[in-house]
DNA sequence: ATGGTTTTTACTGCGTC
DNA sequence: GACGCGGTAAAAACCAT
């Protein structure tokens, strides 16, 4: 708290100084000692007074294009650095590249043995580079999975399975054409369902950076491609969370489970959205226990329409009365 | 692509506070 | 009059084929 404030203050100060020094640099082109002309000596990185030799600025960096060479003599002189770094490439262009010309450093052609060797080196270098890029990819994805998982309150083992799923997707080359975030989100969604602690598509969607369409599409895709076994979510697994979000008692939770239990295996359940069923069960249970919640409140936390709640809870209560009779 | 099923949207009427 | 609730029709989304 106070730490960050202090650093902020320091930064502001530094910025201030910088702007100031920039101004003086621009305005005063004469030596502060003898008022002689200042000369910029880029080779040594100094600004020197021509008259008295006073060094005004030291350790400047010459950003000039040292890598450019216009003839072979200059190439020899200046070839000690590479191109400037760029963020456009995943590794900022810092990884090794082996030229395609079969020439040595002096421009002489290589012997056939040397040529073969270079070809092998190119192959291996390329392999390592792509492996590195996959590592980076994975790192980012895992970070994303972690972030979303904790936002959704999902336990450690779900993150584990999510990252396993993601690794498999990566190994099977499912990533090209899909975003890292999309696949991460889909992996997490699948993992949560497999672990029996499902989160609804809407909930996952809230914490993800990708839109719903992409999420469902990539989810379907990876489930199919990886042959993931993911059975429909059990409505009961949503109940405790929704109940607590609504601030209802355990009694309501128990009744909700009972309603869902008695409806299990009937056509009332099959094909219906588990979230809708859970919401309806909770609403019905809240009526039975005289703990008032409105359909609107339930629909809010479950992110399901009130209409669906109405339809479902009638069916649930019908099953209950029929079973009793 | 298509058709069947489920869910959502939008609108309406009724009763209560 | 606002709110909760029920119902309906049509649109949209979803899913298997």
């Amino acid at each position: 708290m106070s730490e960050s404030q202090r650093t902020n203050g320091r930064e502001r100060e530094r910025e201030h100084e910088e702007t100031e020094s920039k101004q003086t640099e621009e305005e005063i082109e004469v030596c502060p000692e003898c008022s002689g002309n200042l000369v910029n000596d880029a080779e040594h990185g100094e600004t020197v007074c021509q008259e008295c030799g006073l060094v005004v600025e030291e350790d400047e960096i010459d950003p000039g294009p040292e890598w450019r060479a216009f003839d072979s003599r200059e190439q020899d002189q200046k070839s000690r650095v590479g191109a400037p770094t760029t963020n456009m490439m995943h590794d900022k262009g810092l990884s090794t590249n082996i030229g395609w010309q079969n020439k040595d450093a002096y421009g002489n052609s290589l012997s056939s043995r040397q040529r073969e060797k270079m070809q092998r080196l190119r192959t291996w270098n390329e392999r390592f580079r792509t492996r590195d890029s996959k590592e980076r990819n994975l790192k980012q994805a895992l970070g994303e999975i972690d972030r979303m998982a904790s936002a959704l309150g999902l336990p450690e083992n779900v993150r584990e399975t999510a990252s396993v799923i993601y690794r498999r997707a990566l190994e099977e080359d499912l990533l090209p054409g899909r975003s890292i975030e999309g696949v991460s989100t889909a992996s997490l969604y699948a993992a949560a369902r497999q672990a029996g602690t499902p989160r609804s598509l809407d909930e996952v969607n809230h914490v993800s950076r990708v839109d719903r369409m992409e999420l469902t599409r990539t989810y379907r895709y990876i489930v199919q491609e990886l042959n993931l076994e993911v059975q429909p979510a059990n409505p009961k697994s949503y109940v405790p969370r929704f109940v607590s979000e609504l601030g209802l008692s355990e009694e309501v939770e128990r009744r909700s489970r009972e309603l869902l239990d008695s409806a299990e295996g009937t056509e009332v359940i099959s094909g219906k959205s588990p979230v809708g069923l859970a919401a309806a069960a909770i609403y019905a249970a809240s009526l039975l226990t005289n703990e008032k919640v409105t359909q609107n409140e339930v629909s809010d936390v479950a992110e399901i329409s009130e209409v669906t709640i109405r339809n479902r809870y009638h069916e649930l209560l019908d099953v209950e009365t029929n079973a009793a009779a």
Side-chain angles (χ1 to χ4, degrees):
Chain A
M1 184 54 179
S2 64
E3 178 73 27
S4 70
Q5 278 177 344
R6 225 182 309 138
T7 54
N8 274 345
R10 219 182 283 146
E11 264 169 24
R12 260 200 301 280
E13 257 174 43
R14 206 186 310 135
E15 272 173 26
H16 192 57
E17 278 173 15
E18 268 172 16
T19 54
E20 229 173 37
S21 72
K22 221 174 266 171
Q23 280 174 353
T24 56
E25 200 181 310
E26 277 169 12
E27 286 167 5
I28 306 174
E29 295 273 0
V30 295
C31 175
E33 289 293 313
C34 62
S35 303
N37 273 343
L38 291 181
V39 168
N40 212 322
D41 184 353
E43 195 182 335
H44 298 107
E46 295 170 348
T47 301
V48 187
C49 173
Q50 255 183 338
E51 305 292 320
C52 62
L54 176 73
V55 177
V56 180
E57 296 275 352
E58 254 179 314
D59 295 332
E60 292 173 70
I61 292 171
D62 171 23
E66 203 184 20
W67 66 91
R68 291 184 71 191
F70 300 97
D71 56 43
S72 61
R73 191 184 55 80
E74 285 191 350
Q75 186 162 30
D76 291 340
Q77 281 181 349
K78 300 184 169 180
S79 60
R80 70 187 173 90
V81 295
T85 61
T86 169
N87 282 321
M88 300 297 283
M89 276 178 269
H90 67 274
D91 52 10
K92 301 194 180 180
L94 283 174
S95 62
T96 308
N97 252 322
I98 300 177
W100 54 272
Q101 300 162 34
N102 286 311
K103 299 276 179 69
D104 65 14
Y106 303 103
N108 301 323
S109 309
L110 265 47
S111 70
S112 66
R113 272 195 58 162
Q114 290 289 330
R115 268 210 290 273
E116 275 178 45
K117 189 175 172 186
M118 293 312 289
Q119 194 52 56
R120 284 200 301 278
L121 282 173
R122 273 186 211 113
T123 307
W124 279 103
N125 187 44
E126 197 54 34
R127 284 185 192 163
F128 279 123
R129 248 205 323 188
T130 57
R131 211 190 64 179
D132 280 0
S133 93
K134 283 192 175 177
E135 290 294 317
R136 257 184 298 276
N137 183 322
L138 193 58
K139 211 172 171 185
Q140 188 188 339
L142 295 189
E144 194 69 4
I145 287 173
D146 234 38
R147 180 185 65 78
M148 294 188 289
S150 50
L152 290 169
L154 286 168
E156 190 61 34
N157 62 325
V158 175
R159 302 177 201 195
E160 288 296 323
T161 27
S163 57
V164 169
I165 293 172
Y166 190 91
R167 276 201 177 82
R168 284 188 57 200
L170 195 59
E171 259 148 43
E172 310 235 345
D173 280 330
L174 265 40
L175 264 294
R178 264 154 272 271
S179 71
I180 293 176
E181 317 221 312
V183 179
S184 314
T185 315
S187 303
L188 185 64
Y189 176 64
R193 282 182 60 172
Q194 280 189 328
T197 54
R199 296 293 181 271
S200 74
L201 264 173
D202 283 309
E203 291 175 295
V204 176
N205 192 30
H206 277 320
V207 301
S208 174
R209 297 186 210 273
V210 300
D211 60 58
R212 226 193 126 96
M213 259 248 299
E214 186 182 347
L215 170 55
T216 54
R217 217 178 23 222
T218 49
Y219 169 70
R220 256 203 295 271
Y221 183 71
I222 68 166
V223 165
Q224 181 154 40
E225 290 299 311
L226 299 179
N227 292 316
L228 293 179
E229 300 269 340
V230 38
Q231 47 280 77
N234 188 332
K236 280 189 280 184
S237 50
Y238 290 107
V239 169
R241 244 166 355 100
F242 292 162
V243 165
S244 87
E245 273 183 59
L246 287 165
L248 295 169
S249 72
E250 291 176 22
E251 175 67 9
V252 176
E253 183 178 335
R254 205 175 51 75
R255 293 302 290 267
S256 307
R257 289 175 186 284
E258 281 174 13
L259 286 168
L260 290 171
D261 273 334
S262 57
E264 197 166 324
T266 70
E267 71 281 1
V268 174
I269 293 282
S270 82
K272 310 290 163 53
S273 107
V275 188
L277 284 163
I282 292 171
Y283 177 71
S286 86
L287 291 183
L288 295 175
T289 53
N290 288 324
E291 288 192 41
K292 218 36 201 145
V293 270
T294 67
Q295 294 175 355
N296 187 21
E297 289 169 314
V298 181
S299 83
D300 261 1
V301 309
E303 307 194 69
I304 206 80
S305 80
E306 300 174 41
V307 181
T308 308
I309 295 178
R310 284 201 278 278
N311 293 335
R312 285 305 88 77
Y313 101 84
H314 281 145
E315 293 162 4
L316 284 176
L317 290 179
D318 281 352
V319 170
E320 185 85 337
T321 53
N322 288 345

